Amino acid sequence: MARTQGTRPRRVRLWRWRRNPLRRRSDLVEAWLVLAALVLALLLGVFSGLTAAAAVDGSLAERRERTTPVTAVLAEDAAGLSAPVTENGDGGVWARVRWTASDGTDHTGRAEVDPGSRAGTKVTVWTDPAGRLVSAPPEGAEARFQSVMAGTTVAVASGGLVLLGGRLVRARLHLRRLAEWEDEWRRVEPSWRRRMTG
C-alpha cells in the first residue's frame, strides 16, 4: 500500500496587513501592536542604555576626581599575612600601611599589596577628600567595561519589559478573539444543525 504524505499549509507572511475576508479588526490591531511594541522596545532600549552608560561613566569620572593617589609605606611584611583580597581575586593581601595626608597629618590603615612585599616598601594607595583609604577607581578598559555592561543591561531590561507588555496585550486580544468566535458559533451552530438534520 502506497503511503502518501500530506502537504504542509503554505505560510502566508504579513497576512494581518493584507485585505482578506478572514481578517478581523482585532487581527489588524494586533499587527499594529506588534509593530509598535518592536519599535518602542528598540527606541527605549537604545535611549535608556545610552543614558545608563553615560550615568555610570559620569559617576566613575566623579569618583576619579574625588580620589587622590598617595604614596604610602608598608608598615609590616606582607609575606606572612594570609588574608587574601577576595574582592577582585588578583592575589593581593591586606596589610597595614602608613601615609601622610595633604594637610601633613600621619595616617595608618589597611590596603591591598602584593603578597611578597616587605616592610618599608613604597606602595600607592587612594584616599578620599577626608583622607580615608578607598579602593582605586576603575580606569581605562575596566571603566569602559562597567559603562558598557550597565548600558547593555538597562537596554535589554527596558526593551524586554516593553516586549513583555506587548505580549500580555496580545494574549488578552487572543482571549477576546476566542470569546468572539465562540459567541459567533453559538449563533451559527443551530442553523447548521437544522441543515444537517433537515
Side-chain angles (χ1 to χ4, degrees):
M1 182 163 112
R3 198 169 162 198
T4 59
Q5 262 188 320
T7 58
R8 287 180 114 180
R10 196 174 62 128
R11 187 173 180 149
V12 180
R13 298 198 181 279
L14 302 173
W15 67 270
R16 286 184 174 95
W17 296 97
R18 297 177 179 175
R19 289 188 180 274
N20 68 68
L22 298 177
R23 186 187 76 183
R24 296 169 182 260
R25 191 174 68 180
S26 62
D27 293 326
L28 191 58
V29 168
E30 186 176 345
W32 280 107
L33 172 73
V34 168
L35 180 64
L38 288 173
V39 170
L40 184 61
L42 181 66
L43 292 177
L44 185 64
V46 168
F47 176 74
S48 60
L50 290 174
T51 303
V56 168
D57 196 41
S59 172
L60 293 176
E62 183 183 332
R63 186 173 156 194
R64 282 191 293 273
E65 286 175 13
R66 284 187 288 117
T67 56
T68 308
V70 175
T71 301
V73 177
L74 196 56
E76 60 187 340
D77 285 339
L81 300 175
S82 59
V85 176
T86 56
E87 289 176 7
N88 52 14
D90 64 355
V93 293
W94 291 111
R96 200 159 40 89
V97 294
R98 250 189 342 264
W99 74 96
T100 304
S102 57
D103 61 0
T105 57
D106 288 332
H107 293 274
T108 59
R110 287 189 145 330
E112 178 188 349
V113 298
D114 290 331
S117 302
R118 298 181 95 39
T121 304
K122 290 185 177 181
V123 294
T124 301
V125 295
W126 295 81
T127 60
D128 65 8
R132 294 179 301 240
L133 283 179
V134 294
S135 58
E139 292 182 311
E142 186 182 352
R144 281 192 300 276
F145 176 76
Q146 287 186 16
S147 297
V148 168
M149 283 307 293
T152 303
T153 303
V154 169
V156 169
S158 58
L161 282 175
V162 171
L163 292 176
L164 179 63
R167 184 87 171 162
L168 292 174
V169 173
R170 273 185 80 189
R172 180 93 174 142
L173 284 172
H174 182 65
L175 290 175
R176 184 175 173 187
R177 191 164 41 240
L178 290 176
E180 287 174 0
W181 284 346
E182 192 164 335
D183 186 45
E184 284 183 25
W185 177 248
R186 270 195 223 107
R187 281 186 271 140
V188 172
E189 193 253 346
S191 64
W192 279 39
R193 271 198 188 161
R194 280 194 294 260
R195 284 186 200 160
M196 298 286 282
T197 58

